[in-house]
Amino acid sequence: MVELNQLVLELESNLKWEGLIEEWTERRESWVSDAAASVNLTYLAELLVELESNLQWESVDIQWQDRRESWVEECLAASIVQEVSSLLLELETNINSEAMADEWQENRETWVQQMHSFNE
């Protein structure tokens, strides 16, 4: 469980500030603490929805608007690590590379491999 928390935090820490709505700056510190300390997959999935909700539309692929509602529903119903990790990976896949820190592309392959390890 700790590993998945760390992967959520790693994704968030690689988002550029310009790609997030302004209110995120006020919530971020406590969100990071909550995500780091979470031992509940359901709560971690809720935090993932909160992160996604703070992304600007320009930060995600255009087709995300069609998928978002069902993705949120799936997150709120997720209760096992395979579900949460798959939803996290799906979110990352739909975030535009311009919204991510430059070094993300260098680290992404390792991150994705770690994500897939939850589904093996």
PDB file of all heavy atoms in Angstrom, residues 2 8-9 14 24 33 35 37 52 75 83 94 97 103:
ATOM      1  N   VAL A   2       1.915   1.252   0.750  1.00  0.00           N
ATOM      2  CA  VAL A   2       2.779   2.436   0.803  1.00  0.00           C
ATOM      3  C   VAL A   2       3.321   2.763  -0.577  1.00  0.00           C
ATOM      4  O   VAL A   2       3.404   3.918  -0.967  1.00  0.00           O
ATOM      5  CB  VAL A   2       3.920   2.232   1.818  1.00  0.00           C
ATOM      6  CG1 VAL A   2       4.915   3.376   1.765  1.00  0.00           C
ATOM      7  CG2 VAL A   2       3.354   2.083   3.218  1.00  0.00           C
ATOM      8  N   VAL A   8       1.371   7.776  -6.358  1.00  0.00           N
ATOM      9  CA  VAL A   8       0.409   8.883  -6.468  1.00  0.00           C
ATOM     10  C   VAL A   8       1.136  10.207  -6.208  1.00  0.00           C
ATOM     11  O   VAL A   8       0.998  11.170  -6.966  1.00  0.00           O
ATOM     12  CB  VAL A   8      -0.767   8.703  -5.481  1.00  0.00           C
ATOM     13  CG1 VAL A   8      -1.621   9.963  -5.419  1.00  0.00           C
ATOM     14  CG2 VAL A   8      -1.620   7.498  -5.863  1.00  0.00           C
ATOM     15  N   LEU A   9       1.928  10.225  -5.152  1.00  0.00           N
ATOM     16  CA  LEU A   9       2.673  11.440  -4.795  1.00  0.00           C
ATOM     17  C   LEU A   9       3.701  11.800  -5.864  1.00  0.00           C
ATOM     18  O   LEU A   9       3.915  12.984  -6.159  1.00  0.00           O
ATOM     19  CB  LEU A   9       3.347  11.273  -3.435  1.00  0.00           C
ATOM     20  CG  LEU A   9       2.384  11.194  -2.253  1.00  0.00           C
ATOM     21  CD1 LEU A   9       3.118  10.731  -0.996  1.00  0.00           C
ATOM     22  CD2 LEU A   9       1.695  12.522  -2.025  1.00  0.00           C
ATOM     23  N   ASN A  14       5.203  15.791 -10.053  1.00  0.00           N
ATOM     24  CA  ASN A  14       5.716  16.074 -11.391  1.00  0.00           C
ATOM     25  C   ASN A  14       4.761  16.894 -12.243  1.00  0.00           C
ATOM     26  O   ASN A  14       5.057  17.181 -13.401  1.00  0.00           O
ATOM     27  CB  ASN A  14       6.070  14.761 -12.102  1.00  0.00           C
ATOM     28  CG  ASN A  14       7.425  14.249 -11.679  1.00  0.00           C
ATOM     29  OD1 ASN A  14       8.447  14.721 -12.160  1.00  0.00           O
ATOM     30  ND2 ASN A  14       7.433  13.312 -10.752  1.00  0.00           N
ATOM     31  N   TRP A  24      -5.423  24.764  -5.836  1.00  0.00           N
ATOM     32  CA  TRP A  24      -4.577  23.634  -5.451  1.00  0.00           C
ATOM     33  C   TRP A  24      -3.449  24.065  -4.514  1.00  0.00           C
ATOM     34  O   TRP A  24      -3.051  23.313  -3.627  1.00  0.00           O
ATOM     35  CB  TRP A  24      -4.004  22.942  -6.691  1.00  0.00           C
ATOM     36  CG  TRP A  24      -3.217  21.711  -6.361  1.00  0.00           C
ATOM     37  CD1 TRP A  24      -1.878  21.516  -6.538  1.00  0.00           C
ATOM     38  CD2 TRP A  24      -3.704  20.491  -5.788  1.00  0.00           C
ATOM     39  NE1 TRP A  24      -1.521  20.258  -6.124  1.00  0.00           N
ATOM     40  CE2 TRP A  24      -2.632  19.613  -5.653  1.00  0.00           C
ATOM     41  CE3 TRP A  24      -4.973  20.061  -5.376  1.00  0.00           C
ATOM     42  CZ2 TRP A  24      -2.752  18.322  -5.125  1.00  0.00           C
ATOM     43  CZ3 TRP A  24      -5.106  18.784  -4.845  1.00  0.00           C
ATOM     44  CH2 TRP A  24      -4.007  17.935  -4.717  1.00  0.00           C
ATOM     45  N   SER A  33       0.045  15.251   2.657  1.00  0.00           N
ATOM     46  CA  SER A  33       0.076  14.556   3.949  1.00  0.00           C
ATOM     47  C   SER A  33      -0.958  13.445   3.998  1.00  0.00           C
ATOM     48  O   SER A  33      -0.673  12.328   4.459  1.00  0.00           O
ATOM     49  CB  SER A  33      -0.179  15.535   5.098  1.00  0.00           C
ATOM     50  OG  SER A  33       0.856  16.470   5.184  1.00  0.00           O
ATOM     51  N   ALA A  35      -2.332  11.841   1.457  1.00  0.00           N
ATOM     52  CA  ALA A  35      -1.978  10.762   0.526  1.00  0.00           C
ATOM     53  C   ALA A  35      -0.825   9.927   1.083  1.00  0.00           C
ATOM     54  O   ALA A  35      -0.837   8.698   0.979  1.00  0.00           O
ATOM     55  CB  ALA A  35      -1.607  11.339  -0.841  1.00  0.00           C
ATOM     56  N   ALA A  37      -0.085   9.389   4.185  1.00  0.00           N
ATOM     57  CA  ALA A  37      -0.484   8.656   5.392  1.00  0.00           C
ATOM     58  C   ALA A  37      -1.623   7.670   5.160  1.00  0.00           C
ATOM     59  O   ALA A  37      -1.901   6.848   6.028  1.00  0.00           O
ATOM     60  CB  ALA A  37      -0.897   9.655   6.476  1.00  0.00           C
ATOM     61  N   GLU A  52      -7.280  14.996  -9.665  1.00  0.00           N
ATOM     62  CA  GLU A  52      -7.773  15.158 -11.033  1.00  0.00           C
ATOM     63  C   GLU A  52      -8.686  16.375 -11.146  1.00  0.00           C
ATOM     64  O   GLU A  52      -8.634  17.108 -12.121  1.00  0.00           O
ATOM     65  CB  GLU A  52      -8.524  13.885 -11.455  1.00  0.00           C
ATOM     66  CG  GLU A  52      -8.957  13.873 -12.921  1.00  0.00           C
ATOM     67  CD  GLU A  52     -10.230  14.640 -13.204  1.00  0.00           C
ATOM     68  OE1 GLU A  52     -11.049  14.847 -12.279  1.00  0.00           O
ATOM     69  OE2 GLU A  52     -10.422  15.050 -14.362  1.00  0.00           O
ATOM     70  N   CYS A  75     -13.443   5.373  -9.565  1.00  0.00           N
ATOM     71  CA  CYS A  75     -12.553   5.694  -8.443  1.00  0.00           C
ATOM     72  C   CYS A  75     -13.312   5.607  -7.123  1.00  0.00           C
ATOM     73  O   CYS A  75     -12.825   5.022  -6.153  1.00  0.00           O
ATOM     74  CB  CYS A  75     -11.968   7.095  -8.587  1.00  0.00           C
ATOM     75  SG  CYS A  75     -10.567   7.212  -9.700  1.00  0.00           S
ATOM     76  N   GLU A  83      -7.546  -2.002  -8.872  1.00  0.00           N
ATOM     77  CA  GLU A  83      -8.458  -0.987  -9.416  1.00  0.00           C
ATOM     78  C   GLU A  83      -7.851   0.405  -9.299  1.00  0.00           C
ATOM     79  O   GLU A  83      -7.833   1.165 -10.270  1.00  0.00           O
ATOM     80  CB  GLU A  83      -9.794  -1.018  -8.673  1.00  0.00           C
ATOM     81  CG  GLU A  83     -10.602  -2.269  -8.903  1.00  0.00           C
ATOM     82  CD  GLU A  83     -11.804  -2.378  -7.984  1.00  0.00           C
ATOM     83  OE1 GLU A  83     -11.792  -1.827  -6.855  1.00  0.00           O
ATOM     84  OE2 GLU A  83     -12.774  -3.040  -8.384  1.00  0.00           O
ATOM     85  N   ASN A  94      -3.686  10.182 -19.634  1.00  0.00           N
ATOM     86  CA  ASN A  94      -4.506  11.244 -20.227  1.00  0.00           C
ATOM     87  C   ASN A  94      -4.024  12.655 -19.892  1.00  0.00           C
ATOM     88  O   ASN A  94      -4.616  13.625 -20.353  1.00  0.00           O
ATOM     89  CB  ASN A  94      -5.962  11.064 -19.812  1.00  0.00           C
ATOM     90  CG  ASN A  94      -6.628   9.986 -20.624  1.00  0.00           C
ATOM     91  OD1 ASN A  94      -7.031  10.214 -21.759  1.00  0.00           O
ATOM     92  ND2 ASN A  94      -6.711   8.786 -20.062  1.00  0.00           N
ATOM     93  N   SER A  97       1.683  15.818 -21.913  1.00  0.00           N
ATOM     94  CA  SER A  97       3.089  15.887 -21.510  1.00  0.00           C
ATOM     95  C   SER A  97       3.516  17.318 -21.183  1.00  0.00           C
ATOM     96  O   SER A  97       4.394  17.524 -20.349  1.00  0.00           O
ATOM     97  CB  SER A  97       3.992  15.297 -22.595  1.00  0.00           C
ATOM     98  OG  SER A  97       3.819  15.976 -23.814  1.00  0.00           O
ATOM     99  N   GLU A 103      11.497  16.394 -16.458  1.00  0.00           N
ATOM    100  CA  GLU A 103      12.147  15.139 -16.076  1.00  0.00           C
ATOM    101  C   GLU A 103      11.180  13.961 -15.992  1.00  0.00           C
ATOM    102  O   GLU A 103      11.588  12.811 -15.869  1.00  0.00           O
ATOM    103  CB  GLU A 103      12.917  15.280 -14.759  1.00  0.00           C
ATOM    104  CG  GLU A 103      12.091  15.723 -13.593  1.00  0.00           C
ATOM    105  CD  GLU A 103      12.010  17.237 -13.430  1.00  0.00           C
ATOM    106  OE1 GLU A 103      12.451  17.982 -14.338  1.00  0.00           O
ATOM    107  OE2 GLU A 103      11.497  17.682 -12.393  1.00  0.00           O
TER     108      GLU A 103
END
